[in-house]
Amino acid sequence: MTMLLRRRLVGLVRETPVPVLSTVLLALGGTACAVGQGFATAEALRRAFAGRPLPELMAPVAAVAALVLARTALLWARDLAATWTAHAVKERLRDRLTGRLLELGPGYTLTRPAGRAQATIGDGVEAIQAYVGFYLPQVAVSLAGPVAIVAALFWLDPVVGATVGACVALVPLSRPMWRRLLGDRATAHWEAYERFAARILDALSGMTTLKTLGAGERYGMRLRADAERLYRATMGNLAASTGVYCVTAFVMTAGTALSVAVAALRLAEGHLDAAALFTVLFLAAECFRPLLELQNYWHEGFYGLAAAGGLFSLLDAEPQVREPATPVRLAPSGPPEVRFEGVTFAYPGATGPALDGVDLRIAPGTTLAVVGRSGAGKSTLVALLLRFFDPGEGRVLIDGVDLREAPIERVRAMTALVSQDVHLFYGTVADNLRIAAPGASTARLQEAARRARIHDVIAALPDGYDTVIGERGATLSGGERQRLAIARALLKDAPILVLDEATSSVDGQTERDLREALAEISAERTTLVIAHRLSTVLGADRIAVLEAGRVAEQGAPAELFAAGGAWAELAGAYAGTGAQAGTGTQAGAHAGTGTGAAR
Ligand SMILES: Nc1ncnc2c1ncn2[C@@H]1O[C@H](COP(=O)(O)OP(=O)(O)OP(=O)(O)O)[C@@H](O)[C@H]1O
């Protein structure tokens, strides 16, 4: 597995050849300067020992100075190129991950814990920086650099070359031992970190819930336990890596000392001169340097390898829905007909179906109110209509076109959704409106906001439409957010409207504003409303009662009241939730007019 991840990370680096090659070449340039420095220093010493005049010493001394400067510049440039590599890979990866996440859509996010994708795209991508930018190029440097230096030492003296070569080989040969030791600890550290980060994110988004349930203290204890686990994992990781670092550093120092001792013996035997001994000292140290750096980078980079599992599993995730091979045109001229035909659907991994043989029809331009107890499958109908998922059996059709046969974007463009939890993005009110209609003029935004009965509220904000939501106390209430969502729906101007009514009660004026706004928007559209208010149900053209994923009953409100079946039984729970709600008889009369809450 690790092997496969490593190969895929190498594959990512290969896609950015220029910065990677620059990193490797610049680092090798630095090593070449060090080698040259060794030879130039030895030459300066040789001339000094031979009692040459000062001007003759100047050339090798100047060469040493130039090489030192060049090396500093090259290593600086190497660091820049390594950071460039890392950023190039990270940018590409983030692009792909966010693209993938958007492609996977709610079909993916609805069936996975929130926060995991966030951790992967944010911290996971950051974690691979050291691995791809520094560690991987350094592997090439650690192969080429020491091989070239050992060859140079071999040329100086074969015995010394063989000694240094043997010591250098010990470092990579010992890697399998410490890779396991460090690998397990780095993975444990990353897992502890991910868990801690997810817990913090949860605490932040659920702060109100925690406080209102008085669970702050208990949650704090869990956070502390996770922080403690992270601390222990960090210490374990640190102990292992510093231990391995010390052993490696010892092998390298001992190797350098041994090489110099061997060179001294060779000097005593007359095979080397004193200046060459100096070159050996210099080159032997330089030979180990890339390996020591590799060791450092490996320690930093292993988090990246640990994080790569999450990155690639997101990249490899299968979308719930696929584009058709030969898409059918879906372009209704007016409000379309919506049909669910024998639809059965189970969420991935669920034990039972959320919808079971559902048959529903919403005639063009009419309103269907779907009612049912919690968990009956109402939101699942919407998820299928927006094609977040495909039914296991049966079909969902818009104007007779099976949604699986139309382009996904086209299907989603058909429907405007006004849901109970309206998400406002960080940005201005205008930005939040333009999400539905990029490039819409200010006049168009204002027109939509007026029709959604929210214009006056926006105009009263500190900077009007340019107010950044959430800053300087510029927040919107639940009812105002819903009206903003209605304005978005108006701007999207889709022929189908899905309204997921708020379960919480709103004050009388807000209720009236909302109803007026919705009446306007649903008037010329085919509307599916997940109704929580009796007034809405009564105002619909038809009602469908869902029970455990099945349609228990459907028909006009008056018919269902008269029938005294599932709806009549459920209506009790709805009583008192609508301003217009009345007795069964009134309700029947009300519904019979075909006008009401939703229009
Ligand atoms: N993302 C999901 N993954 C797995 N099961 C799910 C998921 N969403 C809903 N379900 C299950 O599918 C069934 C239908 O849920 P659905 O949300 O459609 O009901 P609902 O009628 O809209 O409920 P509510 O009124 O409470 O929103 C329930 O049993 C629910 O637990």
Side-chain angles (χ1 to χ4, degrees):
M1 184 66 189
T2 314
M3 201 62 202
L4 182 70
L5 289 178
R6 201 168 299 138
R7 217 174 298 146
R8 293 188 70 175
L9 283 172
V10 172
L12 278 177
V13 171
R14 276 220 208 103
E15 289 172 21
T16 49
V18 178
V20 173
L21 271 179
S22 313
T23 310
V24 173
L25 292 177
L26 288 163
L28 287 177
T31 304
C33 285
V35 173
Q37 207 180 317
F39 281 104
T41 313
E43 184 56 30
L45 286 175
R46 195 171 289 124
R47 290 184 190 188
F49 292 151
R52 301 274 187 85
L54 197 60
E56 280 194 33
L57 291 183
M58 286 316 284
V61 170
V64 170
L67 286 166
V68 168
L69 275 178
R71 183 165 185 244
T72 309
L74 283 169
L75 293 184
W76 170 75
R78 187 268 321 252
D79 281 356
L80 281 188
T83 311
W84 177 25
T85 307
H87 279 277
V89 172
K90 284 197 304 185
E91 203 178 300
R92 214 171 255 253
L93 200 54
R94 274 220 175 93
D95 262 8
R96 266 185 223 171
L97 286 167
T98 41
R100 190 85 188 126
L101 198 62
L102 289 174
E103 186 190 342
L104 291 168
Y108 181 83
T109 50
L110 284 174
T111 50
R112 272 163 193 80
R116 185 176 285 184
Q118 192 257 6
T120 302
I121 296 178
D123 302 336
V125 173
E126 278 310 309
I128 67 160
Q129 161 142 347
Y131 193 83
V132 297
F134 290 83
Y135 175 74
L136 287 179
Q138 188 66 21
V139 172
V141 176
S142 307
L143 282 175
V147 166
I149 294 176
V150 167
L153 284 168
F154 213 82
W155 173 75
L156 262 180
D157 183 90
V159 177
V160 174
T163 311
V164 176
C167 294
V168 162
L170 268 183
V171 179
L173 288 180
S174 67
R175 267 192 70 195
M177 278 189 308
W178 46 261
R179 183 191 292 153
R180 199 186 155 78
L181 179 75
L182 284 184
D184 290 350
R185 280 179 174 70
T187 307
H189 177 267
W190 176 254
E191 278 168 7
Y193 173 72
E194 244 188 355
R195 192 191 182 111
F196 181 69
R199 187 85 77 191
I200 292 271
L201 194 76
D202 243 7
L204 284 177
S205 47
M207 190 60 82
T208 315
T209 312
L210 285 178
K211 285 293 168 194
T212 46
L213 292 176
E217 185 79 8
R218 267 172 288 145
Y219 203 87
M221 275 162 63
R222 262 193 247 163
L223 256 178
R224 271 196 291 282
D226 284 340
E228 174 72 25
R229 200 168 293 136
L230 175 61
Y231 165 71
R232 266 188 262 118
T234 309
M235 289 312 287
N237 189 32
L238 203 68
S241 63
T242 45
V244 170
Y245 182 84
C246 287
V247 171
T248 318
F250 172 77
V251 170
M252 292 175 188
T253 316
T256 312
L258 181 68
S259 313
V260 175
V262 170
L265 269 177
R266 300 288 288 166
L267 173 73
E269 288 168 4
H271 297 289
L272 277 178
D273 62 10
L277 177 64
F278 190 82
T279 313
V280 169
L281 176 64
F282 208 89
L283 293 191
E286 188 54 32
C287 196
F288 287 109
R289 197 184 50 82
L291 293 165
L292 200 62
E293 277 183 2
L294 183 71
Q295 167 72 35
N296 275 344
Y297 293 144
W298 195 85
H299 162 59
E300 285 172 36
F302 206 87
Y303 293 125
L305 207 49
L311 295 176
F312 291 121
S313 78
L314 176 54
L315 280 179
D316 296 341
E318 285 292 318
Q320 295 286 341
V321 291
R322 292 200 172 278
E323 287 289 355
T326 43
V328 172
R329 207 171 111 82
L330 180 61
S333 49
E337 178 203 54
V338 171
R339 244 185 315 146
F340 288 78
E341 259 183 22
V343 169
T344 295
F345 170 75
Y347 283 97
T351 46
L355 293 177
D356 189 1
V358 169
D359 283 302
L360 286 174
R361 176 175 179 270
I362 318 177
T366 65
T367 296
L368 173 77
V370 180
V371 297
R373 296 185 201 286
S374 183
K378 305 181 292 291
S379 309
T380 308
L381 281 179
V382 178
L384 294 187
L385 181 58
L386 286 163
R387 208 172 166 224
F388 293 156
F389 303 95
D390 282 332
E393 284 169 38
R395 305 187 295 170
V396 183
L397 307 120
I398 294 178
D399 259 0
V401 174
D402 185 334
L403 300 192
R404 278 176 290 220
E405 288 167 8
I408 298 173
E409 281 312 309
R410 192 72 209 117
V411 169
R412 294 186 185 150
M414 287 288 106
T415 301
L417 172 70
V418 179
S419 78
Q420 349 183 353
D421 39 24
V422 181
H423 187 82
L424 297 183
F425 293 90
Y426 179 77
T428 64
V429 175
D431 292 338
N432 267 284
L433 288 170
R434 282 204 181 94
I435 282 175
S441 67
T442 307
R444 222 185 122 200
L445 298 189
Q446 290 183 359
E447 154 76 8
R450 272 200 190 90
R451 290 181 63 196
R453 313 292 190 273
I454 188 70
H455 172 76
D456 293 344
V457 176
I458 300 172
L461 291 171
D463 298 316
Y465 282 76
D466 295 324
T467 306
V468 175
I469 293 171
E471 282 186 2
R472 293 196 289 145
T475 52
L476 296 177
S477 73
E480 289 162 353
R481 282 164 171 256
Q482 254 203 339
R483 277 176 280 157
L484 202 79
I486 295 169
R488 273 182 184 162
L490 280 164
L491 285 163
K492 184 172 179 188
D493 199 21
I496 302 170
L497 170 70
V498 171
L499 166 66
D500 185 0
E501 230 176 12
T503 39
S504 55
S505 56
V506 285
D507 66 65
Q509 184 55 44
T510 306
E511 163 90 22
R512 269 191 298 282
D513 285 348
L514 274 172
R515 280 201 294 133
E516 277 174 26
L518 285 168
E520 254 189 70
I521 180 172
S522 65
E524 67 274 5
R525 288 174 173 82
T526 304
T527 306
L528 185 154
V529 48
I530 297 179
H532 291 290
R533 290 169 203 289
L534 189 54
S535 51
T536 312
V537 181
L538 302 178
D541 298 294
R542 285 177 74 80
I543 311 175
V545 184
L546 277 190
E547 266 176 17
R550 290 167 176 272
V551 179
E553 200 173 50
Q554 60 176 314
E559 282 168 30
L560 295 195
F561 262 108
W567 163 242
E569 203 180 297
L570 199 61
Y574 278 68
T577 56
Q580 305 290 309
T583 63
T585 335
Q586 280 170 322
H590 195 99
T593 64
T595 58
R599 38 183 62 224

